[in-house]
Amino acid sequence: DDLAARVMPFIIFMLSGIIVQAFWVTPVLGYPLQVVLMAAALWWCRRPLMDYLQRPRAMSILAGLVVGVIWVALAPAPEPVSPALAALSAGGLLFWGGMRIIGTVAFVPLIEELFFRGYVQSRFDTGSVQSKALAVAVSAGLFALLHGRWIEAGLAGVVFSLLYMQRGG
Protein backbone atom coordinates (compact mmCIF):
# COMPACT_ATOMS: atom_id res chain seq x y z
CA ASP A 1 0.00 0.00 0.00
CA ASP A 2 0.97 3.64 -0.30
CA LEU A 3 2.00 4.07 3.34
CA ALA A 4 4.21 0.97 3.26
CA ALA A 5 5.82 2.21 0.03
CA ARG A 6 6.88 5.43 1.77
CA VAL A 7 8.13 3.84 5.00
CA MET A 8 9.25 0.25 4.36
CA PRO A 9 12.21 1.00 2.02
CA PHE A 10 13.59 3.40 4.65
CA ILE A 11 13.26 0.76 7.38
CA ILE A 12 15.06 -1.76 5.15
CA PHE A 13 17.77 0.81 4.39
CA MET A 14 18.34 1.48 8.10
CA LEU A 15 18.24 -2.20 9.06
CA SER A 16 20.67 -3.08 6.28
CA GLY A 17 23.13 -0.56 7.74
CA ILE A 18 22.81 -2.21 11.14
CA ILE A 19 23.33 -5.66 9.64
CA VAL A 20 26.45 -4.55 7.76
CA GLN A 21 27.86 -2.87 10.88
CA ALA A 22 27.18 -6.00 12.94
CA PHE A 23 28.44 -8.70 10.59
CA TRP A 24 31.24 -7.18 8.50
CA VAL A 25 34.68 -6.62 9.98
CA THR A 26 35.00 -3.82 7.41
CA PRO A 27 31.41 -2.54 7.03
CA VAL A 28 32.14 -0.55 3.87
CA LEU A 29 32.54 -3.90 2.06
CA GLY A 30 28.92 -4.76 2.92
CA TYR A 31 27.49 -1.85 0.96
CA PRO A 32 26.53 -4.06 -2.03
CA LEU A 33 24.24 -6.03 0.30
CA GLN A 34 22.59 -2.78 1.33
CA VAL A 35 22.04 -1.90 -2.34
CA VAL A 36 20.49 -5.32 -3.03
CA LEU A 37 18.17 -4.96 -0.03
CA MET A 38 17.19 -1.41 -1.04
CA ALA A 39 16.50 -2.61 -4.59
CA ALA A 40 14.35 -5.45 -3.25
CA ALA A 41 12.37 -3.08 -1.03
CA LEU A 42 11.78 -0.65 -3.90
CA TRP A 43 10.83 -3.52 -6.22
CA TRP A 44 8.38 -4.87 -3.65
CA CYS A 45 6.75 -1.40 -3.48
CA ARG A 46 6.93 -0.74 -7.20
CA ARG A 47 3.17 -0.51 -7.88
CA PRO A 48 2.39 2.32 -5.45
CA LEU A 49 5.72 3.99 -6.29
CA MET A 50 4.73 4.23 -9.95
CA ASP A 51 2.15 6.83 -8.92
CA TYR A 52 5.01 9.08 -7.75
CA LEU A 53 6.90 9.03 -11.03
CA GLN A 54 6.73 12.44 -12.63
CA ARG A 55 8.87 14.27 -15.11
CA PRO A 56 11.25 16.38 -13.00
CA ARG A 57 10.78 20.12 -13.27
CA ALA A 58 13.68 22.39 -14.12
CA MET A 59 13.49 23.99 -10.66
CA SER A 60 13.84 20.58 -8.98
CA ILE A 61 16.84 19.67 -11.12
CA LEU A 62 18.48 23.03 -10.48
CA ALA A 63 17.84 22.84 -6.74
CA GLY A 64 19.24 19.30 -6.62
CA LEU A 65 22.37 20.37 -8.48
CA VAL A 66 22.91 23.41 -6.26
CA VAL A 67 22.39 21.39 -3.08
CA GLY A 68 24.72 18.68 -4.41
CA VAL A 69 27.49 21.13 -5.30
CA ILE A 70 27.23 22.85 -1.92
CA TRP A 71 27.17 19.45 -0.16
CA VAL A 72 30.36 18.36 -1.90
CA ALA A 73 32.08 21.75 -1.54
CA LEU A 74 31.48 21.82 2.22
CA ALA A 75 32.30 18.15 2.77
CA PRO A 76 34.93 17.35 5.37
CA ALA A 77 38.22 15.92 4.16
CA PRO A 78 37.74 12.35 2.96
CA GLU A 79 38.93 9.50 5.12
CA PRO A 80 41.78 7.38 3.78
CA VAL A 81 40.76 4.45 1.62
CA SER A 82 40.04 1.38 3.69
CA PRO A 83 42.80 -1.24 3.37
CA ALA A 84 40.08 -3.85 2.76
CA LEU A 85 38.74 -1.82 -0.16
CA ALA A 86 42.25 -1.26 -1.51
CA ALA A 87 42.84 -5.02 -1.34
CA LEU A 88 39.93 -5.81 -3.70
CA SER A 89 40.74 -7.07 -7.15
CA ALA A 90 40.08 -4.72 -10.07
CA GLY A 91 36.83 -6.55 -10.81
CA GLY A 92 35.81 -6.52 -7.16
CA LEU A 93 36.52 -2.82 -6.89
CA LEU A 94 34.61 -2.13 -10.12
CA PHE A 95 31.63 -4.11 -8.77
CA TRP A 96 31.78 -2.37 -5.38
CA GLY A 97 32.11 1.06 -7.03
CA GLY A 98 29.17 0.40 -9.34
CA MET A 99 27.02 -0.70 -6.43
CA ARG A 100 28.11 2.35 -4.44
CA ILE A 101 27.12 4.67 -7.28
CA ILE A 102 23.74 2.99 -7.76
CA GLY A 103 23.01 3.11 -4.04
CA THR A 104 24.26 6.62 -3.41
CA VAL A 105 22.92 8.29 -6.54
CA ALA A 106 19.65 6.46 -7.14
CA PHE A 107 18.34 4.41 -4.23
CA VAL A 108 19.28 6.38 -1.11
CA PRO A 109 17.90 9.75 -2.33
CA LEU A 110 14.67 8.11 -3.49
CA ILE A 111 14.20 6.22 -0.24
CA GLU A 112 15.02 9.26 1.88
CA GLU A 113 12.62 11.50 -0.05
CA LEU A 114 9.84 8.93 0.18
CA PHE A 115 10.31 8.81 3.94
CA PHE A 116 11.20 12.38 4.96
CA ARG A 117 8.95 14.26 2.55
CA GLY A 118 6.44 11.60 1.50
CA TYR A 119 5.79 10.27 4.98
CA VAL A 120 7.08 12.56 7.75
CA GLN A 121 6.25 15.87 6.12
CA SER A 122 2.86 14.73 4.87
CA ARG A 123 1.92 13.52 8.38
CA PHE A 124 2.51 16.94 9.93
CA ASP A 125 1.09 19.07 7.10
CA THR A 126 -2.64 19.44 7.66
CA GLY A 127 -2.95 22.46 5.39
CA SER A 128 -2.57 25.36 7.81
CA VAL A 129 0.42 27.70 7.68
CA GLN A 130 1.49 26.55 11.14
CA SER A 131 1.31 22.86 10.24
CA LYS A 132 3.23 23.46 7.01
CA ALA A 133 5.99 25.25 8.96
CA LEU A 134 6.05 22.44 11.53
CA ALA A 135 6.12 19.81 8.76
CA VAL A 136 9.12 21.47 7.09
CA ALA A 137 10.93 21.90 10.42
CA VAL A 138 10.39 18.30 11.56
CA SER A 139 11.18 16.76 8.18
CA ALA A 140 14.31 18.88 7.64
CA GLY A 141 15.38 18.42 11.26
CA LEU A 142 15.15 14.63 11.11
CA PHE A 143 16.92 14.67 7.75
CA ALA A 144 19.74 16.72 9.31
CA LEU A 145 20.01 14.38 12.29
CA LEU A 146 20.41 11.38 10.00
CA HIS A 147 23.16 13.01 7.98
CA GLY A 148 25.19 14.45 10.84
CA ARG A 149 26.11 17.59 8.93
CA TRP A 150 23.34 19.51 10.62
CA ILE A 151 23.54 22.87 8.89
CA GLU A 152 24.06 21.61 5.34
CA ALA A 153 21.57 18.77 5.67
CA GLY A 154 19.03 20.95 7.47
CA LEU A 155 19.16 23.56 4.70
CA ALA A 156 18.97 20.82 2.06
CA GLY A 157 15.96 19.38 3.88
CA VAL A 158 14.24 22.77 3.85
CA VAL A 159 14.88 23.15 0.10
CA PHE A 160 13.56 19.64 -0.61
CA SER A 161 10.53 20.24 1.65
CA LEU A 162 9.63 23.48 -0.12
CA LEU A 163 9.93 21.78 -3.50
CA TYR A 164 7.72 18.96 -2.23
CA MET A 165 5.07 21.45 -1.07
CA GLN A 166 5.28 23.44 -4.31
CA ARG A 167 4.75 20.37 -6.43
CA GLY A 168 2.29 18.70 -4.09
CA GLY A 169 4.36 15.54 -3.86
Side-chain angles (χ1 to χ4, degrees), residues 63-104:
L65 289 171
V66 168
V67 166
V69 167
I70 292 170
W71 187 264
V72 170
L74 297 177
E79 295 179 18
V81 175
S82 158
L85 247 168
L88 291 176
S89 67
L93 188 58
L94 186 62
F95 172 76
W96 184 90
M99 294 297 274
R100 185 69 186 205
I101 290 169
I102 291 167
T104 303

mmCIF file of all heavy atoms in Angstrom, residues 63-104:
data_model
loop_
_atom_site.group_PDB
_atom_site.id
_atom_site.type_symbol
_atom_site.label_atom_id
_atom_site.label_comp_id
_atom_site.label_asym_id
_atom_site.label_seq_id
_atom_site.Cartn_x
_atom_site.Cartn_y
_atom_site.Cartn_z
ATOM 1 N N ALA A 63 17.679 22.873 -8.200
ATOM 2 C CA ALA A 63 17.840 22.836 -6.741
ATOM 3 C C ALA A 63 18.689 21.641 -6.327
ATOM 4 O O ALA A 63 19.560 21.762 -5.463
ATOM 5 C CB ALA A 63 16.476 22.779 -6.061
ATOM 6 N N GLY A 64 18.450 20.487 -6.933
ATOM 7 C CA GLY A 64 19.236 19.299 -6.623
ATOM 8 C C GLY A 64 20.704 19.490 -6.954
ATOM 9 O O GLY A 64 21.589 19.094 -6.180
ATOM 10 N N LEU A 65 20.981 20.111 -8.098
ATOM 11 C CA LEU A 65 22.369 20.367 -8.481
ATOM 12 C C LEU A 65 23.045 21.358 -7.531
ATOM 13 O O LEU A 65 24.187 21.145 -7.113
ATOM 14 C CB LEU A 65 22.438 20.882 -9.920
ATOM 15 C CG LEU A 65 22.137 19.863 -11.011
ATOM 16 C CD1 LEU A 65 22.029 20.552 -12.378
ATOM 17 C CD2 LEU A 65 23.191 18.777 -11.036
ATOM 18 N N VAL A 66 22.340 22.413 -7.176
ATOM 19 C CA VAL A 66 22.910 23.409 -6.263
ATOM 20 C C VAL A 66 23.180 22.784 -4.893
ATOM 21 O O VAL A 66 24.270 22.942 -4.323
ATOM 22 C CB VAL A 66 21.992 24.647 -6.146
ATOM 23 C CG1 VAL A 66 22.420 25.557 -4.997
ATOM 24 C CG2 VAL A 66 21.966 25.418 -7.452
ATOM 25 N N VAL A 67 22.203 22.047 -4.372
ATOM 26 C CA VAL A 67 22.389 21.387 -3.078
ATOM 27 C C VAL A 67 23.557 20.406 -3.158
ATOM 28 O O VAL A 67 24.395 20.340 -2.258
ATOM 29 C CB VAL A 67 21.093 20.684 -2.621
ATOM 30 C CG1 VAL A 67 21.353 19.722 -1.472
ATOM 31 C CG2 VAL A 67 20.037 21.710 -2.222
ATOM 32 N N GLY A 68 23.637 19.647 -4.244
ATOM 33 C CA GLY A 68 24.719 18.680 -4.415
ATOM 34 C C GLY A 68 26.088 19.334 -4.466
ATOM 35 O O GLY A 68 27.044 18.866 -3.826
ATOM 36 N N VAL A 69 26.202 20.418 -5.198
ATOM 37 C CA VAL A 69 27.487 21.128 -5.300
ATOM 38 C C VAL A 69 27.884 21.691 -3.938
ATOM 39 O O VAL A 69 29.041 21.566 -3.513
ATOM 40 C CB VAL A 69 27.418 22.235 -6.378
ATOM 41 C CG1 VAL A 69 28.604 23.189 -6.277
ATOM 42 C CG2 VAL A 69 27.346 21.618 -7.771
ATOM 43 N N ILE A 70 26.935 22.304 -3.246
ATOM 44 C CA ILE A 70 27.229 22.849 -1.918
ATOM 45 C C ILE A 70 27.610 21.725 -0.961
ATOM 46 O O ILE A 70 28.550 21.848 -0.172
ATOM 47 C CB ILE A 70 26.041 23.678 -1.386
ATOM 48 C CG1 ILE A 70 25.885 24.949 -2.227
ATOM 49 C CG2 ILE A 70 26.215 24.019 0.090
ATOM 50 C CD1 ILE A 70 24.613 25.728 -1.951
ATOM 51 N N TRP A 71 26.887 20.603 -1.033
ATOM 52 C CA TRP A 71 27.166 19.452 -0.158
ATOM 53 C C TRP A 71 28.604 18.966 -0.353
ATOM 54 O O TRP A 71 29.326 18.735 0.609
ATOM 55 C CB TRP A 71 26.178 18.329 -0.465
ATOM 56 C CG TRP A 71 26.277 17.175 0.472
ATOM 57 C CD1 TRP A 71 26.978 16.019 0.276
ATOM 58 C CD2 TRP A 71 25.673 17.059 1.756
ATOM 59 N NE1 TRP A 71 26.826 15.198 1.362
ATOM 60 C CE2 TRP A 71 26.030 15.805 2.280
ATOM 61 C CE3 TRP A 71 24.848 17.890 2.511
ATOM 62 C CZ2 TRP A 71 25.605 15.364 3.528
ATOM 63 C CZ3 TRP A 71 24.416 17.446 3.746
ATOM 64 C CH2 TRP A 71 24.805 16.200 4.244
ATOM 65 N N VAL A 72 29.006 18.832 -1.606
ATOM 66 C CA VAL A 72 30.359 18.356 -1.902
ATOM 67 C C VAL A 72 31.399 19.410 -1.532
ATOM 68 O O VAL A 72 32.438 19.090 -0.951
ATOM 69 C CB VAL A 72 30.480 17.952 -3.399
ATOM 70 C CG1 VAL A 72 31.920 17.679 -3.787
ATOM 71 C CG2 VAL A 72 29.608 16.735 -3.689
ATOM 72 N N ALA A 73 31.116 20.678 -1.826
ATOM 73 C CA ALA A 73 32.077 21.748 -1.542
ATOM 74 C C ALA A 73 32.340 21.895 -0.042
ATOM 75 O O ALA A 73 33.458 22.205 0.361
ATOM 76 C CB ALA A 73 31.568 23.063 -2.117
ATOM 77 N N LEU A 74 31.329 21.657 0.771
ATOM 78 C CA LEU A 74 31.483 21.822 2.221
ATOM 79 C C LEU A 74 31.793 20.506 2.936
ATOM 80 O O LEU A 74 31.852 20.476 4.165
ATOM 81 C CB LEU A 74 30.209 22.439 2.815
ATOM 82 C CG LEU A 74 29.865 23.843 2.327
ATOM 83 C CD1 LEU A 74 28.551 24.314 2.939
ATOM 84 C CD2 LEU A 74 30.986 24.827 2.618
ATOM 85 N N ALA A 75 32.029 19.456 2.175
ATOM 86 C CA ALA A 75 32.297 18.146 2.775
ATOM 87 C C ALA A 75 33.614 18.168 3.540
ATOM 88 O O ALA A 75 34.576 18.815 3.129
ATOM 89 C CB ALA A 75 32.354 17.074 1.693
ATOM 90 N N PRO A 76 33.651 17.454 4.656
ATOM 91 C CA PRO A 76 34.926 17.346 5.372
ATOM 92 C C PRO A 76 35.925 16.557 4.529
ATOM 93 O O PRO A 76 35.544 15.879 3.569
ATOM 94 C CB PRO A 76 34.556 16.579 6.647
ATOM 95 C CG PRO A 76 33.240 15.935 6.372
ATOM 96 C CD PRO A 76 32.563 16.726 5.300
ATOM 97 N N ALA A 77 37.176 16.648 4.897
ATOM 98 C CA ALA A 77 38.218 15.919 4.159
ATOM 99 C C ALA A 77 37.874 14.429 4.153
ATOM 100 O O ALA A 77 37.435 13.887 5.172
ATOM 101 C CB ALA A 77 39.569 16.145 4.810
ATOM 102 N N PRO A 78 38.073 13.773 3.017
ATOM 103 C CA PRO A 78 37.742 12.346 2.959
ATOM 104 C C PRO A 78 38.676 11.517 3.838
ATOM 105 O O PRO A 78 39.835 11.877 4.047
ATOM 106 C CB PRO A 78 37.925 11.988 1.487
ATOM 107 C CG PRO A 78 38.798 13.049 0.927
ATOM 108 C CD PRO A 78 38.598 14.275 1.761
ATOM 109 N N GLU A 79 38.125 10.432 4.338
ATOM 110 C CA GLU A 79 38.932 9.503 5.121
ATOM 111 C C GLU A 79 39.817 8.714 4.165
ATOM 112 O O GLU A 79 39.488 8.559 2.992
ATOM 113 C CB GLU A 79 38.018 8.549 5.891
ATOM 114 C CG GLU A 79 37.162 9.251 6.930
ATOM 115 C CD GLU A 79 36.241 8.283 7.658
ATOM 116 O OE1 GLU A 79 36.481 7.065 7.616
ATOM 117 O OE2 GLU A 79 35.294 8.774 8.273
ATOM 118 N N PRO A 80 40.929 8.192 4.657
ATOM 119 C CA PRO A 80 41.776 7.380 3.780
ATOM 120 C C PRO A 80 41.016 6.138 3.316
ATOM 121 O O PRO A 80 40.106 5.666 3.995
ATOM 122 C CB PRO A 80 42.957 6.991 4.665
ATOM 123 C CG PRO A 80 42.739 7.601 5.997
ATOM 124 C CD PRO A 80 41.445 8.332 6.002
ATOM 125 N N VAL A 81 41.393 5.643 2.161
ATOM 126 C CA VAL A 81 40.757 4.445 1.616
ATOM 127 C C VAL A 81 41.004 3.272 2.553
ATOM 128 O O VAL A 81 42.121 3.053 3.018
ATOM 129 C CB VAL A 81 41.298 4.135 0.203
ATOM 130 C CG1 VAL A 81 40.741 2.823 -0.322
ATOM 131 C CG2 VAL A 81 40.983 5.266 -0.749
ATOM 132 N N SER A 82 39.944 2.553 2.818
ATOM 133 C CA SER A 82 40.038 1.384 3.690
ATOM 134 C C SER A 82 41.008 0.368 3.086
ATOM 135 O O SER A 82 40.953 0.087 1.888
ATOM 136 C CB SER A 82 38.648 0.756 3.829
ATOM 137 O OG SER A 82 38.728 -0.577 4.219
ATOM 138 N N PRO A 83 41.894 -0.213 3.891
ATOM 139 C CA PRO A 83 42.799 -1.238 3.374
ATOM 140 C C PRO A 83 42.030 -2.415 2.752
ATOM 141 O O PRO A 83 42.470 -2.990 1.764
ATOM 142 C CB PRO A 83 43.589 -1.690 4.604
ATOM 143 C CG PRO A 83 43.515 -0.549 5.556
ATOM 144 C CD PRO A 83 42.188 0.112 5.296
ATOM 145 N N ALA A 84 40.882 -2.755 3.308
ATOM 146 C CA ALA A 84 40.078 -3.853 2.755
ATOM 147 C C ALA A 84 39.567 -3.502 1.361
ATOM 148 O O ALA A 84 39.536 -4.355 0.472
ATOM 149 C CB ALA A 84 38.916 -4.182 3.683
ATOM 150 N N LEU A 85 39.182 -2.248 1.170
ATOM 151 C CA LEU A 85 38.740 -1.816 -0.161
ATOM 152 C C LEU A 85 39.921 -1.810 -1.127
ATOM 153 O O LEU A 85 39.789 -2.242 -2.272
ATOM 154 C CB LEU A 85 38.162 -0.408 -0.076
ATOM 155 C CG LEU A 85 36.678 -0.258 -0.331
ATOM 156 C CD1 LEU A 85 36.191 1.114 0.053
ATOM 157 C CD2 LEU A 85 36.310 -0.594 -1.718
ATOM 158 N N ALA A 86 41.048 -1.319 -0.670
ATOM 159 C CA ALA A 86 42.248 -1.265 -1.506
ATOM 160 C C ALA A 86 42.721 -2.661 -1.889
ATOM 161 O O ALA A 86 43.355 -2.840 -2.934
ATOM 162 C CB ALA A 86 43.355 -0.504 -0.785
ATOM 163 N N ALA A 87 42.391 -3.660 -1.076
ATOM 164 C CA ALA A 87 42.838 -5.025 -1.338
ATOM 165 C C ALA A 87 41.944 -5.756 -2.346
ATOM 166 O O ALA A 87 42.287 -6.853 -2.783
ATOM 167 C CB ALA A 87 42.889 -5.818 -0.028
ATOM 168 N N LEU A 88 40.816 -5.155 -2.729
ATOM 169 C CA LEU A 88 39.935 -5.811 -3.698
ATOM 170 C C LEU A 88 40.611 -5.920 -5.060
ATOM 171 O O LEU A 88 41.416 -5.065 -5.435
ATOM 172 C CB LEU A 88 38.626 -5.024 -3.852
ATOM 173 C CG LEU A 88 37.662 -5.021 -2.671
ATOM 174 C CD1 LEU A 88 36.478 -4.101 -2.971
ATOM 175 C CD2 LEU A 88 37.173 -6.425 -2.365
ATOM 176 N N SER A 89 40.256 -6.936 -5.783
ATOM 177 C CA SER A 89 40.741 -7.066 -7.153
ATOM 178 C C SER A 89 40.123 -5.947 -7.990
ATOM 179 O O SER A 89 39.177 -5.283 -7.560
ATOM 180 C CB SER A 89 40.327 -8.420 -7.721
ATOM 181 O OG SER A 89 38.911 -8.467 -7.870
ATOM 182 N N ALA A 90 40.624 -5.759 -9.192
ATOM 183 C CA ALA A 90 40.084 -4.724 -10.072
ATOM 184 C C ALA A 90 38.598 -4.966 -10.325
ATOM 185 O O ALA A 90 37.786 -4.044 -10.282
ATOM 186 C CB ALA A 90 40.859 -4.689 -11.384
ATOM 187 N N GLY A 91 38.240 -6.222 -10.578
ATOM 188 C CA GLY A 91 36.833 -6.554 -10.806
ATOM 189 C C GLY A 91 35.982 -6.337 -9.566
ATOM 190 O O GLY A 91 34.863 -5.835 -9.657
ATOM 191 N N GLY A 92 36.523 -6.719 -8.422
ATOM 192 C CA GLY A 92 35.806 -6.517 -7.159
ATOM 193 C C GLY A 92 35.596 -5.049 -6.867
ATOM 194 O O GLY A 92 34.519 -4.630 -6.424
ATOM 195 N N LEU A 93 36.626 -4.255 -7.121
ATOM 196 C CA LEU A 93 36.523 -2.820 -6.891
ATOM 197 C C LEU A 93 35.539 -2.183 -7.875
ATOM 198 O O LEU A 93 34.754 -1.314 -7.499
ATOM 199 C CB LEU A 93 37.896 -2.162 -7.007
ATOM 200 C CG LEU A 93 37.971 -0.695 -6.595
ATOM 201 C CD1 LEU A 93 37.509 -0.502 -5.148
ATOM 202 C CD2 LEU A 93 39.385 -0.164 -6.768
ATOM 203 N N LEU A 94 35.552 -2.633 -9.115
ATOM 204 C CA LEU A 94 34.610 -2.129 -10.115
ATOM 205 C C LEU A 94 33.169 -2.461 -9.705
ATOM 206 O O LEU A 94 32.279 -1.619 -9.781
ATOM 207 C CB LEU A 94 34.936 -2.714 -11.486
ATOM 208 C CG LEU A 94 34.150 -2.180 -12.659
ATOM 209 C CD1 LEU A 94 34.403 -0.680 -12.830
ATOM 210 C CD2 LEU A 94 34.523 -2.920 -13.928
ATOM 211 N N PHE A 95 32.956 -3.694 -9.241
ATOM 212 C CA PHE A 95 31.630 -4.106 -8.772
ATOM 213 C C PHE A 95 31.208 -3.264 -7.569
ATOM 214 O O PHE A 95 30.104 -2.716 -7.542
ATOM 215 C CB PHE A 95 31.634 -5.596 -8.402
ATOM 216 C CG PHE A 95 30.375 -6.043 -7.735
ATOM 217 C CD1 PHE A 95 29.220 -6.238 -8.477
ATOM 218 C CD2 PHE A 95 30.337 -6.272 -6.363
ATOM 219 C CE1 PHE A 95 28.045 -6.644 -7.860
ATOM 220 C CE2 PHE A 95 29.167 -6.673 -5.736
ATOM 221 C CZ PHE A 95 28.009 -6.869 -6.489
ATOM 222 N N TRP A 96 32.100 -3.143 -6.574
ATOM 223 C CA TRP A 96 31.781 -2.371 -5.379
ATOM 224 C C TRP A 96 31.476 -0.912 -5.751
ATOM 225 O O TRP A 96 30.510 -0.333 -5.268
ATOM 226 C CB TRP A 96 32.934 -2.437 -4.376
ATOM 227 C CG TRP A 96 32.610 -1.729 -3.097
ATOM 228 C CD1 TRP A 96 32.027 -2.252 -1.991
ATOM 229 C CD2 TRP A 96 32.836 -0.341 -2.802
ATOM 230 N NE1 TRP A 96 31.868 -1.291 -1.022
ATOM 231 C CE2 TRP A 96 32.362 -0.101 -1.502
ATOM 232 C CE3 TRP A 96 33.393 0.712 -3.515
ATOM 233 C CZ2 TRP A 96 32.420 1.147 -0.902
ATOM 234 C CZ3 TRP A 96 33.448 1.967 -2.906
ATOM 235 C CH2 TRP A 96 32.974 2.172 -1.624
ATOM 236 N N GLY A 97 32.312 -0.327 -6.616
ATOM 237 C CA GLY A 97 32.106 1.060 -7.034
ATOM 238 C C GLY A 97 30.790 1.255 -7.767
ATOM 239 O O GLY A 97 30.083 2.236 -7.538
ATOM 240 N N GLY A 98 30.453 0.309 -8.634
ATOM 241 C CA GLY A 98 29.175 0.396 -9.341
ATOM 242 C C GLY A 98 27.998 0.327 -8.384
ATOM 243 O O GLY A 98 27.035 1.095 -8.496
ATOM 244 N N MET A 99 28.086 -0.584 -7.421
ATOM 245 C CA MET A 99 27.020 -0.698 -6.429
ATOM 246 C C MET A 99 26.948 0.567 -5.574
ATOM 247 O O MET A 99 25.858 1.028 -5.224
ATOM 248 C CB MET A 99 27.241 -1.933 -5.554
ATOM 249 C CG MET A 99 27.127 -3.244 -6.306
ATOM 250 S SD MET A 99 25.485 -3.522 -6.992
ATOM 251 C CE MET A 99 24.689 -4.266 -5.590
ATOM 252 N N ARG A 100 28.086 1.127 -5.241
ATOM 253 C CA ARG A 100 28.113 2.348 -4.435
ATOM 254 C C ARG A 100 27.445 3.496 -5.183
ATOM 255 O O ARG A 100 26.684 4.275 -4.615
ATOM 256 C CB ARG A 100 29.570 2.699 -4.081
ATOM 257 C CG ARG A 100 29.713 3.861 -3.161
ATOM 258 C CD ARG A 100 29.203 3.503 -1.789
ATOM 259 N NE ARG A 100 29.204 4.664 -0.925
ATOM 260 C CZ ARG A 100 29.282 4.611 0.376
ATOM 261 N NH1 ARG A 100 29.366 3.439 0.987
ATOM 262 N NH2 ARG A 100 29.266 5.682 1.087
ATOM 263 N N ILE A 101 27.725 3.605 -6.473
ATOM 264 C CA ILE A 101 27.119 4.672 -7.281
ATOM 265 C C ILE A 101 25.609 4.476 -7.377
ATOM 266 O O ILE A 101 24.843 5.419 -7.176
ATOM 267 C CB ILE A 101 27.781 4.735 -8.670
ATOM 268 C CG1 ILE A 101 29.205 5.269 -8.533
ATOM 269 C CG2 ILE A 101 26.957 5.601 -9.626
ATOM 270 C CD1 ILE A 101 30.054 5.132 -9.773
ATOM 271 N N ILE A 102 25.176 3.260 -7.664
ATOM 272 C CA ILE A 102 23.737 2.990 -7.756
ATOM 273 C C ILE A 102 23.042 3.320 -6.438
ATOM 274 O O ILE A 102 21.996 3.982 -6.420
ATOM 275 C CB ILE A 102 23.482 1.516 -8.155
ATOM 276 C CG1 ILE A 102 23.927 1.282 -9.601
ATOM 277 C CG2 ILE A 102 22.015 1.133 -7.961
ATOM 278 C CD1 ILE A 102 24.002 -0.190 -9.988
ATOM 279 N N GLY A 103 23.618 2.864 -5.341
ATOM 280 C CA GLY A 103 23.009 3.107 -4.044
ATOM 281 C C GLY A 103 22.982 4.578 -3.673
ATOM 282 O O GLY A 103 21.953 5.114 -3.264
ATOM 283 N N THR A 104 24.121 5.233 -3.854
ATOM 284 C CA THR A 104 24.265 6.617 -3.412
ATOM 285 C C THR A 104 23.533 7.612 -4.311
ATOM 286 O O THR A 104 22.987 8.601 -3.827
ATOM 287 C CB THR A 104 25.762 6.994 -3.337
ATOM 288 O OG1 THR A 104 26.415 6.067 -2.459
ATOM 289 C CG2 THR A 104 25.966 8.394 -2.818
#
